[in-house]
Amino acid sequence: MESGRIDVSTLDGPFDLQSTLESGQSYLWERADGDGYTESAAHGGDAWYETVLPSTPGLVDQPTVVRARQRGSVDAGTIEWEAGGVPADAGGDGPAAPTESVDGESILTHLLRLDDDLTAIYDATDDGALLSRAYDRYRGLRLVRDPAFPCLISFICSAQMRVSRIFGMQRSLRESYGTPVELGDRTLYAYPTPEALAARTEDELRELSLGYRAPYVQRTAEMVASGEAHPDDARGLPYEEAREALTQFVGVGDKVADCVLLFSLGYLQAIPLDTWIQTAIGDYFPDCEGGNYAETSRAIRDRLGAGLAEREEPFGESGPDAYAGYAQTYVFHHLRTDGD
């Protein structure tokens, strides 16, 4: 595999790998030591994280193993990475190995939003004591750009579940139905394709502890596998139209749709109104309670939205409230880990 280093000091703002990958916005990365999502206030660690990225238009043409760890501080440390693509003609009796050359730095920059100006986002969205405490506590947390289908399935599984349980479900799906990839003496697993999940029965998925979410996962995978719909189809639509488009998938309401928009499709103004954000609205922003999801969403986006100029996002729409989702993610991670 290829390897390299990224100096955090060259980025626009700080970066913290652990809080980015263990803050409840992505369930697609494994921590190599097996301790992912075991710490509550995850921040500042130096463990390796790894994932098998599926073929992603404009980024990689084949399944690709990506590994990263951070050494040193969130302002002046180093991101070490390893990456390799799995050959298209790989086969045989055992798992394939990632032997193809890839641009690991570009892949990480995309997946972990290393191209965001985090300092400017802090300055533009720092409104009040709650956000200040969250920013100080988890300095360097960035949003992610996960592949759309795995992100969609992950958040269909998230209803009424703790982040550690959601992560466990996604690991079970990968290990049961994903393509194995050889990494030294270990085996990693790609996220299952839509076709692989569509072929499963409800009972098979329930055996992986998906519960009532099992038929939602199976039917949504079937929709994507058959070409009936794909979450990528929402890219480029005006924000609220994109959210509505994603609710066509079985098991997807407004909150899950907002998660996919924020953590995959680049709509940085999206604020998933989960229990923690509803608590924050009640305690800190009661004037934003609009009586229904759409009105509350508009009010809290306006309240937390950044005063930065509009800019073109590679995926999604950007407007004057485009960085509200950053504020939401910090507040979510802060309150979920017993912050006040």
Side-chain angles (χ1 to χ4, degrees):
M1 294 206 298
E2 302 287 314
S3 63
R5 296 157 57 94
I6 302 171
D7 291 331
V8 175
S9 62
T10 65
L11 307 178
D12 291 322
F15 174 69
D16 184 71
L17 181 64
Q18 184 177 17
S19 60
T20 297
L21 294 182
E22 294 191 46
S23 54
Q25 53 172 323
S26 178
Y27 300 97
L28 307 182
W29 293 76
E30 291 276 353
R31 187 164 145 174
D33 62 9
D35 288 338
Y37 282 106
T38 60
E39 302 173 51
S40 176
H43 185 267
D46 61 0
W48 281 98
Y49 293 83
E50 49 202 20
T51 188
V52 182
L53 180 68
S55 176
T56 304
L59 192 62
V60 293
D61 295 328
Q62 73 268 58
T64 300
V65 173
V66 185
R67 306 183 74 234
R69 71 172 174 180
Q70 184 166 355
R71 310 300 294 269
S73 74
V74 301
D75 294 294
T78 300
I79 306 164
E80 300 176 359
W81 60 263
E82 298 176 354
V86 178
D89 58 354
D93 298 330
T99 58
E100 295 285 320
S101 177
V102 296
D103 184 351
E105 182 167 342
S106 294
I107 293 170
L108 278 181
T109 296
H110 176 86
L111 294 177
L112 304 179
R113 299 197 70 98
L114 301 181
D115 48 348
D116 284 344
D117 187 341
L118 195 53
T119 298
I121 292 170
Y122 286 159
D123 291 342
T125 60
D126 189 359
D127 179 17
L130 174 63
L131 278 172
S132 293
R133 291 194 295 271
Y135 287 154
D136 288 344
R137 190 178 181 205
Y138 290 114
R139 181 173 168 78
L141 185 160
R142 291 177 180 245
L143 294 178
V144 297
R145 291 187 182 105
D146 275 349
F149 177 71
C151 182
L152 175 64
I153 297 300
S154 295
F155 283 100
I156 287 175
C157 293
S158 71
Q160 300 179 323
M161 295 296 260
R162 299 187 307 275
V163 293
S164 58
R165 290 286 307 280
I166 304 165
F167 176 73
M169 285 182 184
Q170 305 319 301
R171 176 193 286 164
S172 294
L173 285 173
R174 287 194 298 270
E175 293 180 352
S176 297
Y177 307 120
T179 300
V181 177
E182 178 186 320
L183 189 64
D185 59 355
R186 297 183 298 120
T187 301
L188 302 183
Y189 294 86
Y191 202 84
T193 63
E195 293 76 13
L197 288 182
R200 307 277 63 86
T201 66
E202 180 180 333
D203 287 343
E204 287 174 320
L205 294 175
R206 284 183 181 274
E207 289 178 1
L208 301 181
S209 300
L210 268 65
Y212 69 86
R213 305 158 196 83
Y216 304 162
V217 169
Q218 194 279 332
R219 176 58 186 136
T220 288
E222 190 175 63
M223 292 173 70
V224 177
S226 68
E228 178 181 346
H230 196 287
D232 280 326
D233 296 340
R235 293 187 194 272
L237 295 175
Y239 163 61
E240 292 192 359
E241 290 183 25
R243 185 173 67 196
E244 179 65 24
L246 289 174
T247 61
Q248 69 182 297
F249 293 102
V250 181
V252 176
D254 289 332
K255 193 268 283 189
V256 170
D258 269 336
C259 289
V260 178
L261 293 174
L262 180 60
F263 304 133
S264 177
L265 302 186
Y267 289 78
L268 300 189
Q269 66 269 65
I271 296 184
L273 299 181
D274 61 12
T275 300
W276 295 108
I277 300 305
Q278 294 283 14
T279 296
I281 290 172
D283 291 347
Y284 296 94
F285 313 109
D287 56 314
C288 293
E289 179 51 66
N292 59 53
Y293 194 101
E295 293 303 320
T296 302
S297 173
R298 293 189 191 106
I300 193 64
R301 291 199 320 271
D302 289 344
R303 182 64 176 272
L304 297 181
L308 298 179
E310 295 187 18
R311 69 177 190 176
E312 292 294 327
E313 285 293 328
F315 306 124
E317 296 291 312
S318 180
D321 57 358
Y323 297 92
Y326 254 105
Q328 178 272 345
T329 302
Y330 273 86
V331 168
F332 170 85
H333 193 38
H334 178 65
L335 295 181
R336 184 184 67 83
T337 55
D338 301 321
D340 57 16

